DNA sequence: GCGACAG
DNA sequence: ATCTTGTCGC
């Protein structure tokens, strides 16, 4: 499949939903050798008060040392509003600009959003993964749909997220007495791999390092602009 | 009809 | 996400 098919960015909600339903057929779910991954990236976007200016940032880290290899930030204007379920149409365009500036492309990307744990099973992590044709993992701070289930077949540090019969992802407990992060498949990874890579990126905080650093990066950029 | 709702 | 101070806990 040609990644560029994911590129037209709709102007209307109806059009955007139709595109999601079409693009979700192109998402591939497959295992990733997480222990072999050397380069991981985290993405984040920060908005100005007006809501139209956005700072998008990407930080690439080398595993297992977790040293920053490269980071890029861009400031642009966004046109699509925030609509629950359509986050990708607001945040992906700025992130793509930051991605283009990147010289070192990572092997896997952590997105501050959901992947499969989405009403139409096509959250931003899925969309962005298609756009850049790179494995992506959704790692969100709250649920958009579904609920954490109690399952004895789950691991010590995670519990499955279900919506009816659909396994959407996993609540990963990255810190003692802290809310979990919600991990789901983006593109070209499966759930065990997604959990594996996120675990490798956790360093004493609830939020995995790539996402923490990306958040700091865009926050700094926005402060510096004012 | 009502509430919920990634960032 | 953004607007915001102090405060509780590891």
């Amino acid at each position: 499949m040609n990644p560029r098919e994911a590129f037209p960015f709709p102007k209307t909600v109806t059009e955007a939903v139709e595109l999601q339903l079409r693009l979700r057929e192109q998402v591939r779910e497959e295992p990733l050798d997480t222990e072999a991954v050397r380069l991981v990236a985290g993405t984040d976007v920060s908005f100005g008060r007006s809501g139209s200016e956005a700072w998008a940032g990407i930080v690439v880290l080398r595993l297992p040392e977790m040293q920053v290899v490269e980071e890029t930030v861009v400031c642009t204007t966004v046109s699509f509003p925030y609509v629950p379920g359509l986050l990708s149409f607001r945040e992906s365009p700025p992130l793509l600009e930051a991605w283009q500036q990147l010289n070192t492309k990572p092997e896997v990307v952590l997105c501050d959003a959901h992947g499969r744990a989405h009403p139409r099973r096509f959250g931003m992590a899925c969309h962005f993964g298609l756009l850049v044709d790179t494995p992506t993992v959704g790692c969100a701070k709250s649920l958009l749909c579904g609920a954490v289930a109690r399952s004895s077949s789950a691991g010590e540090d995670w519990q499955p997220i279900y919506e009816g019969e659909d396994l959407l992802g996993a609540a990963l407990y990255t810190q003692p007495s802290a809310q979990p992060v919600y991990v789901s498949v983006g593109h070209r990874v499966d759930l065990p791999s997604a959990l594996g890579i996120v675990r490798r990126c956790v360093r004493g905080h609830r939020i995995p390092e790539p996402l923490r650093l990306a958040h700091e990066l865009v926050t700094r950029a926005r402060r510096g602009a004012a």
Side-chain angles (χ1 to χ4, degrees):
Chain A
M1 64 227 68
N2 182 356
R4 297 202 63 84
E5 290 173 42
F7 272 89
F9 284 101
K11 286 291 176 229
T12 69
V13 167
T14 311
E15 216 172 38
V17 170
E18 289 172 351
L19 182 59
Q20 289 184 320
L21 297 178
R22 195 145 39 82
L23 291 179
R24 71 177 177 186
E25 303 306 321
Q26 320 218 5
V27 171
R28 300 204 307 273
E29 184 173 332
E30 55 194 41
L32 178 73
D33 185 356
T34 59
E35 291 309 308
V37 171
R38 300 285 321 263
L39 298 173
V40 200
T43 67
D44 194 29
V45 183
S46 179
F47 297 90
R49 296 191 57 176
S50 67
S52 61
E53 48 184 4
W55 284 262
I58 301 178
V59 177
V60 181
L61 304 176
R62 182 184 304 286
L63 293 179
E65 324 87 83
M66 295 284 262
Q67 288 304 301
V68 177
V69 172
E70 186 183 355
E71 46 184 37
T72 59
V73 204
V74 299
C75 176
T76 47
T77 56
V78 293
S79 50
F80 209 91
Y82 169 69
V83 178
L86 299 180
L87 179 66
S88 179
F89 298 98
R90 178 171 174 76
E91 300 197 347
S92 283
L95 284 175
L96 284 173
E97 291 187 34
W99 181 265
Q100 293 177 315
Q101 305 292 305
L102 215 53
N103 293 123
T104 310
K105 301 312 197 212
E107 295 158 79
V108 56
V109 178
L110 262 52
C111 296
D112 187 22
H114 287 292
R116 186 176 200 287
H118 176 276
R120 289 171 291 281
R121 313 297 181 252
F122 192 75
M124 187 172 85
C126 301
H127 196 172
F128 192 71
L130 283 179
L131 290 165
V132 299
D133 192 24
T134 300
T136 49
V137 172
C139 184
K141 299 180 292 297
S142 64
L143 288 174
L144 173 60
C145 65
V148 178
R150 293 166 18 328
S151 170
S152 53
S153 57
E156 283 296 305
D157 63 346
W158 69 278
Q159 288 296 316
I161 299 169
Y162 275 101
E163 183 171 78
E165 302 295 284
D166 294 349
L167 173 62
L168 303 187
L172 181 67
Y173 296 84
T174 56
Q175 281 289 281
S177 70
Q179 286 295 107
V181 288
Y182 304 96
V183 177
S184 62
V185 164
H187 181 48
R188 293 172 53 181
V189 295
D190 57 15
L191 190 52
S193 305
L195 283 170
I197 194 65
V198 173
R199 282 196 193 93
R200 286 194 69 192
C201 293
V202 172
R203 283 301 186 299
H205 291 273
R206 174 168 86 121
I207 306 301
E209 293 304 300
L211 292 180
R212 288 186 62 234
L213 296 177
H215 188 269
E216 282 184 3
L217 177 63
V218 296
T219 300
R220 254 186 287 126
R222 194 167 73 88
R223 276 200 310 99

